[in-house]
Amino acid sequence: MLEIKTKTFQELTRDELYQLLQLRSEVFIVEQDCVYQDIDGKDDKALHVLGFKNNKVVAYTRIFKSGFYFDEASIGRVVVKNSERKKQYGYAIMKASISAIKNIYNETTIKISAQTYLKTFYTNLGFQEVGKGYLEDGIPHIGMVKN
């Protein structure tokens, strides 16, 4: 079972920060073979949604209120450890992130920049495709919005 916690950057422990950065690097840089600057100077402005299993971060997102990343509230850096993906943790961490935006920011419209191959996953969560596809860091993406 996944234990989910939402924290500000300042509330993260050193171990949590290390684990979330390690997970993001493991998936986005190594697994997806994408050389990009993951540590982008925005983490201190985000809320961090962490999914723990046996006290280890295995799922994660970061969320922003409207006006920071997009005009709408947003969810980014959605990641689940490869060995945990068949356990529906992606849905659990996204549902927790959607709830956090509603409960903390009092917002319901959310925009994401989704990797195109995950379009069905996000559609199942109520997101709809907007605009044309584009490349971000060499990976096909599509804008998606949930109202």
Side-chain angles (χ1 to χ4, degrees):
M1 179 139 172
L2 198 63
E3 177 189 3
I4 299 177
K5 297 178 183 176
T6 301
K7 296 186 170 195
T8 66
F9 185 76
Q10 293 75 20
E11 292 171 329
L12 293 170
T13 68
R14 181 179 52 210
D15 287 343
E16 290 167 343
L17 179 61
Y18 185 87
Q19 287 181 42
L20 76 85
L21 291 173
Q22 184 177 35
L23 179 60
R24 285 174 17 185
S25 177
E26 178 183 312
V27 174
F28 298 135
I29 297 170
V30 177
E31 182 183 321
Q32 294 183 351
D33 194 24
C34 183
V35 178
Y36 80 109
Q37 186 63 47
D38 176 55
I39 300 173
D40 59 1
K42 296 177 182 172
D43 285 317
D44 63 331
K45 305 290 189 270
L47 283 178
H48 303 269
V49 184
L50 304 106
F52 294 90
K53 182 177 176 188
N54 300 322
N55 296 315
K56 299 290 182 195
V57 176
V58 298
Y60 169 84
T61 71
R62 69 180 186 183
I63 61 177
F64 296 97
K65 62 183 173 182
S66 60
F68 182 80
Y69 205 82
F70 295 118
D71 289 339
E72 306 84 356
S74 62
I75 302 171
R77 298 294 199 268
V78 180
V79 62
V80 176
K81 188 171 184 64
N82 189 321
S83 61
E84 305 296 330
R85 290 188 191 144
K86 294 187 184 209
K87 298 175 181 160
Q88 304 292 307
Y89 291 163
Y91 286 104
I93 201 76
M94 279 298 294
K95 287 176 183 176
S97 300
I98 292 164
S99 291
I101 286 173
K102 182 178 181 184
N103 297 329
I104 297 168
Y105 296 144
N106 197 30
E107 298 187 48
T108 55
T109 303
I110 303 168
K111 185 171 184 180
I112 60 172
S113 178
Q115 291 185 5
T116 305
Y117 83 96
L118 290 169
K119 189 165 62 170
T120 300
F121 168 74
Y122 291 114
T123 300
N124 290 340
L125 288 160
F127 287 86
Q128 296 180 340
E129 187 175 333
V130 293
K132 295 181 180 182
Y134 53 92
L135 286 180
E136 186 173 309
D137 300 314
I139 298 173
H141 280 70
I142 189 74
M144 300 187 84
V145 171
K146 175 180 176 61
N147 290 307

